[in-house]
Amino acid sequence: MARKDNKGRNLHTGESQRNDGIYMYRYTDVKSGKRQTIYAGDLPELRVKEKQIAKDLEDSILTDNAVKKMTVNFLFDTYMSTKELADTTRINYMKMWNNHVRDEMGNIKVVQLRPSHVKAFYAKLSRAGYSYSTIKFIHILLYPALELAVDDDIIRKNPAKGALSCDYGKQPEEKEILTLKQQEKLFSLINKSNVYNVYAPMFTVLLETGLRCGELIGLTWSDVDMAERELSVNHQLIYKDWGDGYCFRISTPKTKAGIRTIPFTDTVHRAFAEQRKINFMLGRHSTEEIDGYSDFIFLAKTGRPLMPSAVNNVIYNVIDAYNKEEEGKARKEHRKAELLPKISAHNLRHTACSNMAKQGMNVKVLQYLMGHAHSDVTMDVYNHIASKQDIKEEVERYVRVAGN
């Protein structure tokens, strides 16, 4: 005889009603093998839940209570445990998550997370003034974590799919680069200055090779083959708080593209020879061994490698010195001062890349030399150099070649 509820309605297998009127449905999760129970205030609501469970079981979606309670934070931590990452990369990922996601969206249960939650979160970051690149970074962390939940049959669809829009966040400003004329002005001041001329080799290496700042300060003399005129780039030197205080550590490139051998010109050859001479004249000897690396090239007075902030401070000070001198000349000559933009080591890297692009270097060769993992990063340089003057010069060059 069929069981009935207190309203005389037949109850299906697994259904029951408690004395307080609450309906229950008990079933076995076929994947976990655990008995599960769901509750509802009335029979129609219970049967809607039963249909969803049946669909989940048919699609092999896990339905046990432990999985249902899993938060986005727990999922992300699980995802991170599956990744082989360099220490600096792992620290950056965790810092970004802890600062922006953990207390905002991280406590939402994975099975309850909807695309609207993700979009609302990104919009909130955008209104708070965060850049598009920061929001994209967060998306790059969130999306694959949720893909792991899809792969593990915890959820059917990834709620972060399609959630990132280029409308979110402040758009990145175009990177400031130095024109060839500005580069000449910069070196003119460096070479005649008794204060800054010791940094001429460093500026030359940055502008001729396009090294990242961490790659530059991490260079050791064993990385430089003066006979073959080749530079081996296989590590960076990073100065940051690693959880136990600020210190230097060696970091390997995040991608294989970062490991490369850069042939260098006579100009760079002379720069390295001059740097060795400067170190000798100033009595600077590399005093530290960092993660097995020693004999660093670009040194502070203490013999320690230059810190990234020290490199950028030198650049800022040189620019400031030039601009002050130029302003003085402009006042005397009753003209508008032609100032150099405030730039960093990253801008010099971008300038180096632009110099090579303007000279017509093949995009794949340029991608290799710069250590770009993806060609679209290199192509951005080609897009950025297409100023009115660049276009005019390129057309004139084309006319000259075509005329021959």
Side-chain angles (χ1 to χ4, degrees), residues 226-262:
M226 295 292 275
E228 295 295 328
R229 305 197 178 205
E230 290 181 343
L231 187 62
S232 176
V233 183
N234 52 48
H235 63 275
Q236 294 189 67
L237 191 57
I238 308 295
Y239 184 80
K240 66 184 294 181
D241 186 352
W242 301 88
D244 53 357
Y246 281 86
C247 63
F248 277 121
R249 281 193 191 173
I250 293 292
S251 174
T252 54
K254 283 193 284 187
T255 65
K256 291 182 180 179
I259 301 174
R260 58 206 191 276
T261 300
I262 302 177

Side-chain angles (χ1 to χ4, degrees), residues 264-364:
F264 56 75
T265 62
D266 290 345
T267 304
V268 175
H269 187 278
R270 288 192 295 271
F272 280 124
E274 182 64 21
Q275 185 62 43
R276 191 184 287 276
K277 179 181 175 182
I278 288 171
N279 287 350
F280 175 77
M281 295 294 291
L282 295 177
R284 294 182 182 177
H285 307 285
S286 185
T287 58
E288 287 198 27
E289 180 177 312
I290 302 170
D291 296 335
Y293 288 79
S294 59
D295 206 16
F296 294 97
I297 296 174
F298 297 100
L299 304 170
K301 294 178 181 178
T302 59
R304 301 185 72 204
L306 285 174
M307 289 196 294
S309 59
V311 175
N312 284 321
N313 283 337
V314 169
I315 298 171
Y316 299 153
N317 291 338
V318 169
I319 295 291
D320 189 53
Y322 175 86
N323 286 341
K324 285 180 179 177
E325 183 179 288
E326 168 62 10
E327 286 173 339
K329 288 180 180 179
R331 282 194 297 270
K332 289 181 180 179
E333 298 170 7
H334 305 288
R335 61 175 174 81
K336 184 178 179 181
E338 297 180 1
L339 303 180
L340 297 180
K342 184 176 181 180
I343 57 171
S344 65
H346 187 70
N347 296 105
L348 292 184
R349 171 174 159 81
H350 196 66
T351 297
C353 189
S354 297
N355 287 343
M356 289 183 257
K358 287 179 179 179
Q359 291 165 12
M361 183 175 286
N362 178 280
V363 65
K364 295 303 291 184

Side-chain angles (χ1 to χ4, degrees), residues 17-191:
Q17 186 179 28
R18 299 190 320 199
N19 292 333
D20 60 4
I22 296 297
Y23 289 86
M24 300 187 301
Y25 174 67
R26 300 202 73 194
Y27 66 98
T28 300
D29 187 299
V30 292
K31 266 202 158 183
S32 66
K34 296 178 181 179
R35 290 287 286 171
Q36 305 294 327
T37 306
I38 59 171
Y39 302 89
D42 57 45
L43 193 56
E45 179 188 352
L46 184 71
R47 287 181 175 167
V48 168
K49 291 183 177 182
E50 288 177 43
K51 287 182 180 179
Q52 183 60 50
I53 289 169
K55 183 169 176 54
D56 287 344
L57 292 174
E58 183 180 347
D59 293 342
S60 298
I61 302 298
L62 293 171
T63 61
D64 63 77
N65 289 329
V67 169
K68 287 183 177 181
K69 292 177 181 179
M70 179 188 291
T71 65
V72 175
N73 280 332
F74 186 88
L75 175 66
F76 176 73
D77 292 338
T78 302
Y79 164 71
M80 288 296 288
S81 71
T82 69
K83 302 293 290 182
E84 287 286 341
L85 300 170
D87 287 346
T88 180
T89 303
R90 185 175 297 277
I91 288 171
N92 287 339
Y93 285 4
M94 293 305 298
K95 184 176 181 180
M96 180 65 73
W97 186 270
N98 291 338
N99 287 348
H100 300 292
V101 185
R102 190 165 296 277
D103 294 330
E104 284 286 334
M105 198 173 65
N107 292 318
I108 297 177
K109 292 180 176 60
V110 174
V111 295
Q112 295 176 346
L113 190 67
R114 298 290 179 263
S116 58
H117 293 138
V118 181
K119 291 178 180 179
F121 176 56
Y122 291 167
K124 182 178 179 180
L125 292 172
S126 182
R127 289 192 299 271
Y130 288 101
S131 66
Y132 172 77
S133 60
T134 297
I135 298 172
K136 183 179 179 181
F137 191 170
I138 292 169
H139 181 75
I140 289 171
L141 300 180
L142 179 63
Y143 185 88
L146 291 168
E147 278 295 287
L148 182 64
V150 174
D151 293 341
D152 282 350
D153 297 324
I154 296 170
I155 52 178
R156 186 174 286 104
K157 297 179 181 178
N158 188 329
K161 186 176 183 179
L164 183 65
S165 166
C166 60
D167 295 331
Y168 291 131
K170 294 187 296 185
Q171 294 303 305
E173 297 178 1
E174 189 168 320
K175 296 181 181 71
E176 193 80 61
I177 64 171
L178 298 180
T179 65
L180 289 175
K181 186 176 180 181
Q182 288 173 326
Q183 293 169 57
E184 290 172 1
K185 291 178 177 180
L186 185 70
F187 274 99
S188 176
L189 179 132
I190 291 170
N191 290 330

